[in-house]
Amino acid sequence: MKRLAVYCGSATPEDTRYIELARQVGTTLTERGIGVVYGGGKAGLMGAIADATLKAGGEVIGIIPQALVDMEVANTDCTELHVVQTMHQRKQAFTDLSDGFITIPGGVGTMDELWEAISWAQLGYHQKPVGLLNALGYYDGLVAFNSHMAETGFVREAHRGIMIVSETIEELLDKMANHQPARTIVQMRAEDL
């Protein structure tokens, strides 16, 4: 894995552990020789991961819609900053430029990015690892809900393991390095669906 898309919030929570977590992720990725592809913003966890990665000497590629550039929230310190027109183009660029995806704490936009990465893996649009960093128990409910979807039959057994979960960035990266792509929907027969 040479580059990973990192999905995270642009908010700055009162609990400073989340900002520290983002910094740790950026530093750890750099130490492992992995570049960061992210949302291109300078605020919140986005800004923290970019700053930490750059300070550690790592590569940071930002992908940001023009509307957010116009709001002056773009991080112009990135190694590369790609300006796109739509959120769909942004997510496509994340997929095109990365070898996998890591989701750290965030909100609605972060969830949109995570679920699309999982959905695209199910469909066979990519075969890249999709990691979820469940640090500080932030995603306990989401992990439980993903299991609930599988237990009730809305997530196929073949796709249950697409979301790779860990509580530490080091363990998550190790699991992602051993990723085996799932059998995709397009590889299945109609009666398997």
Side-chain angles (χ1 to χ4, degrees), residues 13-189:
E14 287 184 31
D15 187 339
T16 59
R17 294 179 300 167
Y18 292 106
I19 294 294
E20 288 305 315
L21 174 67
R23 289 182 182 135
Q24 177 196 10
V25 168
T27 301
T28 301
L29 290 173
T30 302
E31 288 170 352
R32 292 203 180 193
I34 300 170
V36 170
V37 179
Y38 86 118
K42 60 185 177 183
L45 274 67
M46 275 193 195
I49 195 166
D51 290 347
T53 302
L54 291 167
K55 283 180 185 168
E59 175 190 48
V60 176
I61 299 174
I63 313 294
I64 191 165
Q66 183 65 53
L68 295 178
V69 173
D70 295 345
M71 291 175 57
E72 299 182 359
V73 297
N75 185 348
T76 57
D77 293 331
C78 294
T79 310
E80 295 177 26
L81 185 64
H82 300 255
V83 179
V84 296
Q85 293 306 306
T86 68
M87 292 299 279
H88 178 75
Q89 290 171 333
R90 180 192 219 183
K91 290 186 288 184
Q92 183 65 56
F94 288 148
T95 302
D96 293 344
L97 294 173
S98 70
D99 301 310
F101 313 88
I102 293 179
T103 299
I104 69 173
V108 173
T110 304
M111 291 299 90
D112 174 52
E113 293 161 343
L114 169 65
W115 289 117
E116 184 164 286
I118 292 171
S119 176
W120 285 15
Q122 287 180 160
L123 291 167
Y125 294 160
H126 72 75
Q127 294 189 324
K128 302 172 183 184
V130 181
L132 180 73
L133 183 57
N134 188 25
L136 308 169
Y138 184 78
Y139 286 119
D140 285 350
L142 182 70
V143 172
F145 181 64
N146 192 57
S147 291
H148 175 68
M149 288 190 295
E151 289 161 7
T152 55
F154 287 104
V155 172
R156 291 167 187 84
E157 190 59 35
H159 302 145
R160 190 175 189 151
I162 287 175
M163 186 168 65
I164 303 166
V165 182
S166 183
E167 295 178 4
T168 69
I169 185 61
E170 294 83 6
E171 181 183 64
L172 183 59
L173 291 171
D174 291 343
K175 287 180 176 182
M176 291 174 70
N178 293 313
H179 166 70
Q180 296 296 319
R183 184 172 173 225
T184 66
I185 288 174
V186 296
Q187 295 171 326
M188 295 178 178
R189 298 175 309 179

